[in-house]
Amino acid sequence: MAEHKIGIIMNGVTGRMGTNQHLIRSIKAIREQGGVLLKNDDKLMPDPILIGRNEKKLKALADAHGIERYSTDLEEALADDYNEIYFDSQTTVRRADSIKQAIAAGKHIYCEKPTATNLEGSVELAKLAREAGVKNGVVQDKLFLPGLLKLKRLIDSGFFGQMLSVRMEFGYWVFEGDWQEGQRPSWNYRKEDGGGIIVDMFAHWRYVIDNLFGNVKSVSCLGATHIPERVDENGETYKATADDAAYGTFELDNGVIVQANSSWAVRVNRDDLLTIQVDGTEGSAVAGLRDCKVQHRVNTPKPTWNPDIENPFDFQAQWQEVPTNDVFDNGFKVQWELFLKHVFADEEFPWDLLEGAKGTQLSDLGLQSWEERRWVEVPDIKL
């Protein structure tokens, strides 16, 4: 059994998502388990170099997690042939330019989404990567959540019969920053900095819908900025110029209707921060991040509308949990392992920059629908 090292440029990992999900719970975890196991029983060991603008933060992060390499010089890291992969988890407004540099340097690309601030920019990245012949992938982490994997198992088994509709509820209360510190960075609420929940979450909803329920045919969206002022990390009050809530409806090619509410101004009264209810002729399911429960047609109660008496049903108790029959690893780590095997061993990886562009497209069309107050068709993307 041989060990192969692969150099990875990790740009933007001093941010919350880059640090926690990509560095600590993915790359560091892979290194601690001894690398990625290949089909021939060899091991592939990621060797990251942390890139950012603040050398002090980079050094502290590297020292804390046993990473030997870090630098503020992206061009130097790109010029080093040892580094085969470029990963980007910077803010959206910085991402496209850095990816273009990495493609020009011949690096394989793996990045967070949205891949660019608009569809044109995302399609350009997909074209450049294809023309350069570099392998590329986009993080689509929610496909690897235990709750959604259980839901996918139900779909593949035919549990729902004819699928009718999907209801997605996502969000939580993000504190305004005055009397309690906000849980999200302030740029999320400034349109000029790439913020907004439509730009952020519709990229997720596109790959979730496409991979689980069917291709999106058209969209109707209403956005809102419910909290007009917030307080930033320095205690300064600023105007929120981006949407903090979005109410979307999606029509799929197969006739399924998807409703998706996304909000950073909602208090949670449901099982999880994200719940997805699927209703079909033979049964229904509700999936959260880790759990999934079902109700088959034979177990469906028969309520009658009568507001004059106490409700006789305990509706929540009439659902059954889908068992956890598998061991589920961190979704970000699982996708990192798949991408590393894609680059080194040419194994399949379908979530490329074109798939990322589809997410940006849905965000753009959601914003257009809101502005024009109408349904908007979702055309195929041509490279």
Side-chain angles (χ1 to χ4, degrees), residues 203-215:
H204 288 283
W205 302 156
R206 181 65 187 270
Y207 70 74
V208 169
I209 294 170
D210 279 0
N211 282 272
L212 267 66
F213 310 121
N215 295 321

Side-chain angles (χ1 to χ4, degrees), residues 327-369:
V327 176
F328 298 108
D329 207 343
N330 178 279
F332 289 88
K333 176 174 174 280
V334 170
Q335 198 176 4
W336 260 109
E337 291 175 331
L338 292 173
F339 186 73
L340 290 170
K341 288 189 284 187
H342 175 58
V343 170
F344 188 83
D346 204 32
E347 294 189 18
E348 184 181 5
F349 191 91
W351 308 285
D352 58 11
L353 282 167
L354 177 58
E355 291 300 304
K358 291 179 181 179
T360 309
Q361 178 193 43
L362 194 61
S363 298
D364 283 2
L365 295 178
L367 291 167
Q368 179 186 341
S369 171

Side-chain angles (χ1 to χ4, degrees), residues 10-20 23 50-62 89-90:
M10 301 189 73
N11 194 2
V13 289
T14 55
R16 176 179 57 89
M17 185 70 72
T19 294
N20 294 327
L23 179 59
L50 309 185
I51 298 292
R53 291 170 288 161
N54 188 317
E55 185 172 4
K56 184 178 179 180
K57 285 185 178 180
L58 289 170
K59 183 180 188 307
L61 192 62
S89 60
Q90 299 180 96

Side-chain angles (χ1 to χ4, degrees), residues 32-192:
E32 289 177 344
Q33 74 182 18
V36 178
L37 182 64
L38 303 174
K39 289 181 178 178
N40 62 358
D41 288 332
D42 284 359
K43 290 288 188 73
L44 181 60
M45 180 65 72
D47 183 12
I49 176 170
L50 309 185
I51 298 292
R53 291 170 288 161
N54 188 317
E55 185 172 4
K56 184 178 179 180
K57 285 185 178 180
L58 289 170
K59 183 180 188 307
L61 192 62
D63 289 346
H65 301 292
I67 306 300
E68 296 178 358
R69 303 191 300 149
Y70 64 91
S71 174
T72 58
D73 193 334
L74 175 60
E75 291 186 4
E76 183 180 53
L78 290 172
D80 187 346
D81 291 339
Y82 175 73
N83 299 319
E84 298 183 43
I85 295 173
Y86 172 79
F87 169 72
D88 195 297
S89 60
Q90 299 180 96
T91 59
T92 305
V93 293
R94 297 179 178 275
R95 185 165 297 136
D97 286 343
S98 297
I99 291 176
K100 288 179 188 177
Q101 283 184 261
I103 292 173
K107 306 303 179 185
H108 303 297
I109 306 298
Y110 189 50
C111 67
E112 268 290 354
K113 75 247 141 253
T115 54
T117 57
N118 54 44
L119 176 59
E120 182 182 7
S122 291
V123 170
E124 181 185 13
L125 294 179
K127 285 182 177 179
L128 289 172
R130 178 174 291 186
E131 291 167 359
V134 298
K135 294 175 178 177
N136 54 93
V138 177
V139 178
Q140 303 202 333
D141 53 285
K142 287 179 175 51
L143 295 178
F144 302 93
L145 289 169
L148 270 67
L149 290 171
K150 294 175 183 178
L151 185 58
K152 182 68 163 58
R153 187 195 306 160
L154 293 170
I155 294 169
D156 292 344
S157 73
F159 171 82
F160 296 102
Q162 180 185 348
M163 204 181 305
L164 305 173
S165 65
V166 180
R167 292 171 177 82
M168 302 169 63
E169 290 284 345
F170 165 79
Y172 47 95
W173 190 270
V174 177
F175 284 97
E176 301 90 328
D178 48 1
W179 70 289
Q180 285 200 55
E181 184 179 347
Q183 309 96 297
R184 298 184 65 86
S186 59
W187 70 263
N188 282 174
Y189 304 95
R190 292 190 292 265
K191 184 177 181 180
E192 59 272 24

